[in-house]
Amino acid sequence: MPIALTDEYYMAKAIELAKKGWYSTQPNPRVGCILVRDDHIIAQGWHQYAGQGHAEVNALAQLAHNSSNIQGIAKGATAYVTLEPCSHFGKTPPCSEALITAGVQRVVVAMADPNPLVAGRGLKRLEEQGIAIRCGVLENESRALNLGFIQRMLIQRPNIRCKMAMSLDGRTAMANGESQWITGADAREDVQRLRAESSAILTGIGTVLADNPAMNVRSQNYDTMGRQPDRVILDSHLQIANEAKMFALSGKTIVLTHEQTSPQEKITALSNQGVVVDFLPLSGASLSLVALMPWLAKQQYNDVLLEAGATLTGAMLQAGLVDELIIYMAPQLMGSDARGLFNLSGLESMQDNIHLSIKDIRAVGKDYRIIAKPLAA
């Protein structure tokens, strides 16, 4: 079998391994590693949880049966890794050095690491030690594992997905605000999956005041290893109630507000409950969405799920800050008096419209899920 086909076969295996950490590796990327010698897989590993062993180290540990002596245990082997081995000391030692010590003779990598702390240094270190390198095998498939991580490293903002539920006539709530439940149990379970995949859930104070939501992962079907996404609330005048439901739940709640519009006694009361209060500048009467992006990146959020009302979601869309729309459409009509999906002002002609690329439409129970990407103007 040609070498290229062999490399693609083993890299596909490594990509499947990386998916085992789909819900638990945040803020780290999802990575898989296969060790092959004489056309046989001799060990495999994947990154499971931030602060624990990386994929390469876990594969080597399996090969060594957890022995502390890994000198030469992979001599002559080829390592297939979905992301360039790291070259720096973080919470764990460099994976490139572990592969060198183990005696690997060849490393096949799906893609270079966009992290400035790595960015080619891992591959260079391996080459300096005489290890043969091939990079770019199934790169697109590997990139799909870590879209948010890559985006955060390259443009300093996470991948933002906006989740909405609507009726067939594009309504999200009755005129009095009643909205539970537009969609069925299967769609709501799918939202649990979206939350489990996310670093954080972002919403506005209007949604919190109206619904007092939990905004956490409650389903047992997704192995997050106990991790809950952070809950981030945009609240320019610190209106959130001291007894909000989410404060009593596991996971971190962060309220973003404006320093000059927030009473110190309210900040103290929230902090005493374990709520983190931080500050953003204003843009008009609202918190600056432009300033929000680097703040989210600074928290090391790779994937953010926007679950909010029509005002915030519309503002995020018009600011070009939504990477993907996930809309659940229920087979019902709610009428012209019901509330619309997005507040989008200033669209006065067809050329002003926000155009979308539909990526997927499928049934989820009795509802339909539409995945679309906004197109650049």
Side-chain angles (χ1 to χ4, degrees):
M1 182 180 293
I3 290 177
L5 292 178
T6 302
D7 285 348
E8 290 174 353
Y9 172 81
Y10 289 122
M11 188 60 74
K13 293 280 189 182
I15 288 171
E16 289 304 307
L17 275 178
K19 292 178 182 178
K20 289 178 176 288
W22 194 263
Y23 302 106
S24 59
T25 65
Q26 302 274 356
N28 291 352
R30 305 166 180 115
V31 183
C33 175
I34 298 277
L35 296 177
V36 177
R37 186 164 52 205
D38 300 326
D39 294 325
H40 290 90
I41 295 175
I42 59 174
Q44 58 187 23
W46 65 95
H47 184 45
Q48 299 177 25
Y49 195 80
Q52 297 182 4
H54 289 187
E56 302 92 324
V57 171
N58 287 340
L60 291 170
Q62 183 188 79
L63 185 60
H65 298 97
N66 297 320
S67 168
S68 60
N69 180 19
I70 63 170
Q71 185 76 36
I73 59 170
K75 187 174 182 180
T78 296
Y80 292 86
V81 192
T82 59
L83 187 68
E84 176 185 359
C86 63
S87 57
H88 65 289
F89 282 88
K91 292 183 179 179
T92 58
C95 293
S96 56
E97 296 301 325
L99 293 173
I100 292 167
T101 301
V104 168
Q105 75 171 18
R106 183 169 179 257
V107 175
V108 180
V109 175
M111 63 171 291
D113 192 336
N115 186 343
L117 294 175
V118 185
R121 294 181 181 88
L123 297 178
K124 181 180 179 181
R125 174 63 179 156
L126 294 170
E127 286 183 312
E128 289 173 347
Q129 297 301 307
I131 296 174
I133 300 295
R134 185 182 179 202
C135 187
V137 177
L138 299 188
E139 180 172 355
N140 289 338
E141 292 83 350
S142 179
R143 292 180 69 87
L145 292 170
N146 296 299
L147 293 176
F149 174 80
I150 294 168
Q151 182 159 294
R152 177 165 67 87
M153 291 298 161
L154 294 180
I155 64 172
Q156 289 74 58
R157 79 167 179 85
N159 185 61
I160 298 178
R161 300 184 295 178
C162 175
K163 185 277 298 181
M164 302 289 283
M166 70 175 189
S167 61
L168 192 60
D169 54 347
R171 304 295 171 169
T172 63
M174 302 306 292
N176 63 3
E178 181 186 358
S179 63
Q180 295 185 337
W181 295 100
I182 294 175
T183 54
D186 293 304
R188 297 198 298 273
E189 177 66 16
D190 199 49
V191 172
Q192 292 289 302
R193 174 186 61 82
L194 296 178
R195 290 180 179 179
E197 293 175 349
S198 301
S199 309
I201 301 170
L202 175 67
T203 194
I205 185 58
T207 295
V208 176
L209 294 177
D211 300 336
N212 194 20
M215 304 192 80
N216 62 349
V217 179
R218 298 182 291 278
S219 174
Q220 301 299 310
N221 293 328
Y222 309 104
D223 185 10
T224 63
M225 297 180 67
R227 182 190 66 84
Q228 283 284 349
D230 290 355
R231 297 174 287 267
V232 180
I233 317 300
L234 300 185
D235 184 2
S236 59
H237 288 75
L238 212 56
Q239 297 173 273
I240 195 165
N242 290 341
E243 61 276 9
K245 180 194 300 183
M246 63 182 68
F247 295 165
L249 302 175
S250 62
K252 182 191 292 186
T253 299
I254 304 171
V255 178
L256 295 178
T257 188
H258 183 60
E259 193 165 12
Q260 295 178 354
T261 59
S262 303
Q264 183 57 52
E265 59 272 19
K266 185 66 175 287
I267 295 174
T268 301
L270 293 174
S271 299
N272 288 340
Q273 296 188 74
V275 178
V276 177
V277 179
D278 208 347
F279 306 103
L280 288 179
L282 292 176
S283 176
S286 304
L287 294 176
S288 169
L289 298 180
V290 173
L292 173 64
M293 294 303 108
W295 185 93
L296 293 171
K298 187 177 179 180
Q299 312 312 305
Q300 296 187 303
Y301 295 153
N302 295 332
D303 301 286
V304 171
L305 184 62
L306 175 61
E307 292 193 57
T311 299
L312 180 55
T313 55
M316 291 281 286
L317 260 178
Q318 289 191 296
L321 299 176
V322 173
D323 297 292
E324 187 174 77
L325 292 169
I326 303 173
I327 300 175
Y328 298 90
M329 184 174 65
Q332 58 183 284
L333 301 174
M334 296 174 66
S336 57
D337 291 333
R339 300 179 183 182
L341 193 62
F342 301 107
N343 288 345
L344 298 171
S345 61
L347 305 184
E348 298 178 355
S349 65
M350 291 296 290
Q351 67 180 12
D352 297 326
N353 291 351
I354 297 174
H355 295 278
L356 307 173
S357 172
I358 304 295
K359 298 300 182 183
D360 186 73
I361 301 177
R362 68 183 62 200
V364 179
K366 71 179 184 65
D367 307 303
Y368 277 86
R369 186 186 67 203
I370 304 167
I371 298 178
K373 288 186 174 294
L375 297 177

